[in-house]
Amino acid sequence: MVDFIESLVVVVFAYVCGSIPFGYIIGRLNGVDVRTAGSKNIGATNVTRCVGRRAGKICFALDFLKGLVPVLAAELILGKGDLVVGQGHPAVLVVMFAAILGHIFPVFLNFRGGKGVSTAAGAIMALAPIPLITALVVWVVVFLVSRYVSLASICAAVTVPVLEWVFVLTRDESKSVALVLTLIATLAVFRHRTNISRLLNGTENRFGRK
């Protein structure tokens, strides 16, 4: 019973933490409602576009942390003081997903949030750092070549579960982790469906251009 209560508390904490709309808050502090400007998204890319690079970097860092901190907290609490990174503890996997869902469906903004990429990156860093770091490299390369943030995000999202499944096959890592990362990547790609349509018809905006 105690373990169930602990698990429930960390899951709720993760969702509430993920729901904190840092992009919206940063925009408001600078006199901009990012929900009605630019791409109308509360993520770091739109904050950068509407407020500035410094604000965008701060937004990314805070969104990253609201994914990282709940998962690390869950690993410590449920591991009784020992990190259980990569072991596929069911409650930790739920916590990771809860933090991401908090960003996408934030209780503080009537459940209308962002795409969840930055928060997912933070959550995955706590659980599968090597795939996440590899995905960040992929993101940078694709972005520098194409200047499309959406394309870079999609490629990075797909990279994470692909590499994790390679680890499952070659290093006997947890299939549960790989399955959850696959679900998160699928959700990320789905959230970019309008971007994919614009990429296909050539109307997606390149970063830095009007």
Side-chain angles (χ1 to χ4, degrees), residues 9 17 20 23 28 31 36 40 76 92-93 99 111 116 120 127 143 152 154 162-164 180 203:
V9 168
C17 191
I20 301 173
R28 277 301 193 186
T36 60
K40 300 179 176 61
L76 286 170
V92 173
L93 298 179
F111 306 103
L127 196 66
F143 173 72
I154 292 167
V162 169
L163 188 54
E164 186 63 24
V180 171
T203 59

Side-chain angles (χ1 to χ4, degrees), residues 148 150-151 154 192-205:
Y148 288 123
S150 57
L151 181 60
I154 292 167
H192 283 84
R193 61 193 182 280
T194 55
N195 302 89
I196 293 173
S197 295
R198 290 195 294 268
L199 286 167
L200 291 174
N201 61 35
T203 59
E204 178 77 336
N205 289 326

Side-chain angles (χ1 to χ4, degrees), residues 86-166:
Q87 294 182 21
H89 191 296
V92 173
L93 298 179
V94 174
V95 164
M96 178 170 64
F97 206 65
I100 298 168
L101 288 179
H103 180 82
I104 297 174
F105 305 108
V107 66
F108 304 117
L109 291 180
N110 296 319
F111 306 103
R112 298 180 65 180
K115 292 182 170 66
V117 174
S118 300
T119 302
I124 295 169
M125 175 62 83
L127 196 66
I130 295 177
L132 189 278
I133 292 171
T134 304
L136 290 177
V137 173
V138 170
W139 190 98
V140 171
V141 171
V142 174
F143 173 72
L144 291 177
V145 171
S146 69
R147 305 303 293 182
Y148 288 123
V149 174
S150 57
L151 181 60
S153 298
I154 292 167
C155 291
V158 172
T159 297
V160 172
V162 169
L163 188 54
E164 186 63 24
W165 278 111
V166 170

